[in-house]
Amino acid sequence: RARQAYQELSGVTVIYRQDCAHLPTGREHFGFRDSIGQPAIEGSGLTGSNPQEAPLKAGEFVLGYPDESGTLPPMPQPEVLGRNGSYGAFRKLHQDVAAFRRYLAAQAAGAEEQEWLAAKMVGRWPSGAPLALAPEHDDPPLGADPKRNNDFLYYDDDPKGFKCPPGSHIRRLNPRDSFKHEAVLVNRHRLLRRGMSFGPLLSPGVLEDDGVERGIIFIFVGASLARQFEFVQSEWVNQGTFIGKPGEKDPLVGTNDGTGLFTIPKEPIRQRLQGLPQFVTNRGGEYFFLPGLRALQWLADAK
């Protein structure tokens, strides 16, 4: 009723609505627990999900404060408008769950091997347990423990990716300390994001698409759309140069075209998946500027 009254008074008409919510499984449509790792922000008073990582400078996510380079990111003017604001990227991402299941079934013999293969592509088991800490099998108690399920690094314990492949989804989007002795400024490309699912679950075991839209509503918030969101999408998701595999894209969300590759380091011989299709498709989105409270007050002032 309140929404209807507002529309009548303001003349605003709703032309599109997308409902989204946590799925009954507590996981996203591919069957994995999501939104586990988030960076800590200096001065926020909030603890980061990885106790081994130092908090990032506030300017990486909030305008008007120094970032990791020690400088102030560009912001809208006047200062009252830009300070304490952020930029937002919104995406509606369709997940082809049936195609994901068919690919796993074609590449692996049996449900156990399919789960292992999917975990290698993601970098975590369905419960959220990271391969870096549980390389052999899923560990639901670990996956459910927020004090442990993101408490890991890569450089010293898994430099070659025998536990968590360098090309896996989570290692691409946050390489952590993988390049600590190289000129790769990981902290300049961190993402603060939230995701929520839309559409009904595809019934377990179904391998054919039912024609229903399902996927994730994704929102990124940060101080630079280009340096953070766009860089990660173009260079880390859809290129493999930084991990020494120029021809490989993210196996889960990359723009693969049916000829995609994914390498799983193993001894004595690596395993390579071929013919990866595109499992996630962008259905739409937008960029936004998110003003702070002071800016909202300034915008609302008739003077």
Side-chain angles (χ1 to χ4, degrees):
R1 254 182 266 162
R3 184 187 296 116
Q4 182 179 357
Y6 172 76
Q7 293 172 10
E8 292 174 353
L9 289 172
S10 64
V12 174
T13 301
V14 176
I15 60 174
Y16 179 79
R17 171 174 169 168
Q18 176 64 68
D19 293 323
C20 53
H22 287 295
L23 296 175
T25 59
R27 302 175 181 181
E28 47 76 54
H29 283 291
F30 288 142
F32 287 80
R33 189 176 176 200
D34 195 18
S35 298
I36 294 176
Q38 298 287 1
I41 302 175
E42 188 175 271
S44 69
L46 301 176
T47 304
S49 57
N50 187 349
Q52 300 191 53
E53 292 180 342
L56 300 180
K57 296 296 183 182
E60 289 296 314
F61 303 100
V62 185
L63 300 174
Y65 302 88
D67 58 23
E68 287 288 305
S69 71
T71 62
L72 295 175
M75 67 180 184
Q77 295 297 318
E79 188 267 353
V80 66
L81 175 63
R83 186 174 175 83
N84 291 319
S86 296
Y87 293 105
F90 168 86
R91 291 293 183 269
K92 179 180 179 180
L93 304 175
H94 170 73
Q95 295 176 265
D96 193 339
V97 180
F100 183 64
R101 292 177 181 176
R102 287 197 305 272
Y103 185 81
L104 294 174
Q107 300 294 324
E112 185 174 339
E113 187 178 353
Q114 290 179 35
E115 183 178 82
W116 176 85
L117 195 60
K120 288 292 184 178
M121 294 166 70
V122 174
R124 292 184 184 271
W125 295 95
S127 73
L131 293 180
L133 300 179
E136 302 300 329
H137 52 78
D138 201 353
D139 186 343
L142 170 61
D145 188 344
K147 294 184 178 180
R148 296 191 298 142
N149 62 18
N150 207 42
D151 185 5
F152 62 92
L153 298 173
Y154 294 121
Y155 185 84
D156 292 322
D157 192 46
D158 190 26
K160 295 183 178 180
F162 290 125
K163 295 179 180 180
C164 182
S168 65
H169 176 64
I170 71 163
R171 192 159 177 170
R172 278 176 174 268
L173 269 69
N174 181 11
R176 302 182 187 235
D177 66 334
S178 294
F179 307 107
K180 69 178 183 179
H181 296 311
E182 302 178 37
V184 179
L185 303 177
V186 173
N187 284 353
R188 299 287 281 151
H189 308 296
R190 294 296 301 277
L191 302 180
L192 182 64
R193 77 272 189 271
R194 289 291 187 271
M196 191 74 73
S197 295
F198 67 89
L201 286 166
L202 184 65
S203 299
V206 174
L207 300 181
E208 297 300 324
D209 184 51
D210 59 1
V212 176
E213 282 286 313
R214 57 175 57 86
I216 288 180
I217 297 297
F218 171 93
I219 297 177
F220 155 80
V221 175
S224 173
L225 291 164
R227 174 170 51 79
Q228 294 168 305
F229 180 72
E230 291 183 347
F231 177 91
V232 169
Q233 289 291 312
S234 64
E235 303 301 319
W236 288 358
V237 170
N238 287 316
Q239 297 287 342
T241 304
F242 77 114
I243 57 171
K245 297 175 176 60
E248 296 190 16
K249 301 178 181 181
D250 189 307
L252 192 70
V253 303
T255 55
N256 292 296
D257 59 1
T259 62
L261 302 173
F262 175 58
T263 300
I264 302 175
K266 293 175 66 176
E267 291 182 324
I269 301 174
R270 68 186 180 187
Q271 181 176 345
R272 174 167 285 178
L273 301 183
Q274 302 186 37
L276 276 164
Q278 185 167 331
F279 299 122
V280 176
T281 303
N282 181 21
R283 290 289 196 245
E286 190 55 272
Y287 287 161
F288 299 95
F289 172 65
L290 311 175
L293 292 176
R294 183 166 168 243
L296 289 174
Q297 292 170 351
W298 178 74
L299 289 169
D301 188 346
K303 298 179 183 180

